[in-house]
Amino acid sequence: MLFNIISLLLFLPSLANSSESQTWIKAGYWLSDSEFPVPKIDSSLFTHLICAYARINSSTFELSILPPDETRFSTFTDIVRLKNPTIITLLSIWTQDSNFETFFSMTSQPSHRSSFIESSIQRARLYGFDGLELNGVKPGTSMNNMTDVGNLFDEWRSAINRESKNSTRSPLILIMEGHYMPSQNTTSYPLDSIRRNLDWVNIRAYDYHSPTNESFTGAHSALYDPSSNLNTDYGIKEWIRRGLPAKQMVLGLAYYGYSWTLVDPTDNRIGSPARGTIREDGKMNYKYIRLFWKCYGEKVLYNSTYVTNYCVTSSSIWICYDDVEAVRTKVSYAREKGLLGYIVYHVPNDDNWVLSKAESLKHTYHKGNKPTTAAQEEGKDQGNNQLLLAILLPTIAAVTLLLGTLTWHLRRRLCKWKVLAMRAYELWKDGKSMEFMDPLMDDTNSGCKLLRCMQVALLCVQEKWEDRPTMLEVYSMLKNEIEDVSAPKRPAFSTKTDMDEENHHKPREEICSANFATMSQVMPR
């Protein structure tokens, strides 16, 4: 036991350092046409902020910033660092609309690429940005164009490394905003070049549906979709299948939704017939959506199958968007899939930082009433390691002694818990589950819910780890009362299993399962 205590103390410093050294990106866009003043951004809620958009000059192919944006872009970094000195800022470059042809003309010629690359690095350094983002490039153009984009990334990274070496400053971050799918119309992004040269890709995980393109309601930022491939989970898996590591992706979150007008007010599900919208393109920012449904909404729902929210009004207006429930689930998804973090589009659309605080709640340390970022706390924690060890040394010794005393009592209680679990399973199997419940809980309104909770609980103590649901799946099964729940087998610690005959000749170590691969991130509700 003494050896265990010493080993734990030696391991603590490395454990503390490694837990904080893992980067988790909480990023957001700020658009210059949003009319939202930069000083009003609560940068303490983010690790990265992206200032958008710079453009490409159609004549010189150099980076260009519109005159009205010059002052705001040049002071952006200094202003957001007043609230968060550790914030990392990037300058985003727009390539769509009028810049579409200019962009591909630039990538097609080495001299044009050189002009663009050098001017982008110079402007980023001049205005104090820590990196650059290429925004709006989509697959679906010719393969030759995508090859040119790959050459651009190769030359851009080389120029960034060269500038860093000559200036003795840290290299600029280089990223891109990418379509939710890595390929489209048989044309793919230059994935080898992306993997080799970019720090990460911001996945545009929204705009799957809109009222201008479809005559039915749709979950425009669906995490899952049982009826089609237009969903984030499918796209992320496809990126990974094509060779981009999960740790090189950042999940995009939409701070806006779309509105439809229902054909039949009583048919208000996702996929219901619809005609037109209340706005020109149907797009509504989150701040306006909250105001709208507070004034006119009659029903606000969360759909755990798609992971999205929607509200319905008495005037047949149907609005789909992501509220706190959907945002938290998607952030948890990004964690579980091993992504690098998330990025919101865009921060001025939030309503009193409701969504941003929901995303940051688990990953933000609080001192009094003032939130501080994990990056700020990391430096303080390293300085407190020695004090921590001094406190923990006598504490661990006392706890070890206490645990020895408790172990005997816990073993006795464990026997009772096993008996209760087996009793619950036998009653459930015989269709007599309500006999297990406290009579005070048995009423006509809650019986079905109690049976569902019991069935989910039995699934959590299954023998094989793959039969046990994750915390995200448990939440979904309890939240969605219509969703089917799998039938449980006998509990893991049963003296008799449903597969006794199959396992009769197997060694014990082949029968018992290890509790691995099921760790879930605890998210506050």
Side-chain angles (χ1 to χ4, degrees), residues 109-140:
Q109 297 293 329
S111 59
H112 296 169
R113 294 197 297 264
S114 179
S115 296
F116 167 75
I117 290 170
E118 294 302 324
S119 64
S120 68
I121 295 174
Q122 291 173 5
R123 188 62 65 97
R125 291 299 193 190
L126 178 64
Y127 289 167
F129 290 105
D130 302 296
L132 294 158
E133 184 208 49
L134 193 66
N135 192 290
V137 178
K138 299 178 182 179

Side-chain angles (χ1 to χ4, degrees), residues 275-430:
R275 56 171 183 265
T277 178
I278 60 174
R279 299 171 69 90
E280 183 178 352
D281 60 356
K283 185 178 290 188
M284 302 171 66
N285 68 51
Y286 177 71
K287 187 182 300 183
Y288 183 74
I289 292 172
R290 278 174 60 93
L291 177 63
F292 189 87
W293 67 250
K294 284 179 182 177
C295 295
Y296 306 106
E298 292 185 345
K299 186 188 297 184
V300 179
L301 299 170
Y302 170 70
N303 187 299
S304 60
T305 301
Y306 292 83
V307 185
T308 193
N309 298 82
Y310 61 92
C311 63
V312 185
T313 74
S314 57
S315 56
S316 301
I317 303 302
W318 191 94
I319 307 171
C320 187
Y321 65 103
D322 286 354
D323 213 325
V324 171
E325 290 171 301
V327 165
R328 285 180 176 170
T329 303
K330 289 180 179 181
V331 172
S332 179
Y333 169 90
R335 280 269 183 183
E336 291 185 359
K337 292 297 182 182
L339 305 188
L340 192 58
Y342 61 83
I343 181 166
V344 303
Y345 186 90
H346 55 109
V347 294
N349 285 353
D350 206 348
D351 183 22
N352 198 29
W353 307 109
V354 170
L355 295 181
S356 300
K357 288 179 180 177
E359 298 160 2
S360 303
L361 185 59
K362 180 180 182 299
H363 311 298
T364 302
Y365 300 82
H366 291 271
K367 297 293 182 68
N369 294 321
K370 183 180 180 181
T372 57
T373 64
Q376 291 171 323
E377 287 299 320
E378 180 180 356
K380 298 178 183 178
D381 288 345
Q382 290 176 351
N384 291 331
N385 278 342
Q386 292 183 346
L387 178 61
L388 178 65
L389 288 177
I391 296 173
L392 285 178
L393 179 59
T395 303
I396 290 177
V399 169
T400 303
L401 180 61
L402 179 62
L403 287 176
T405 306
L406 290 176
T407 300
W408 180 78
H409 294 282
L410 289 174
R411 285 176 178 172
R412 295 187 63 187
R413 287 190 175 275
L414 182 59
C415 292
K416 295 181 180 180
W417 295 339
K418 292 179 179 180
V419 172
L420 285 174
M422 279 307 304
R423 174 64 175 163
Y425 173 76
E426 294 296 341
L427 289 173
W428 175 85
K429 190 174 182 181
D430 295 338

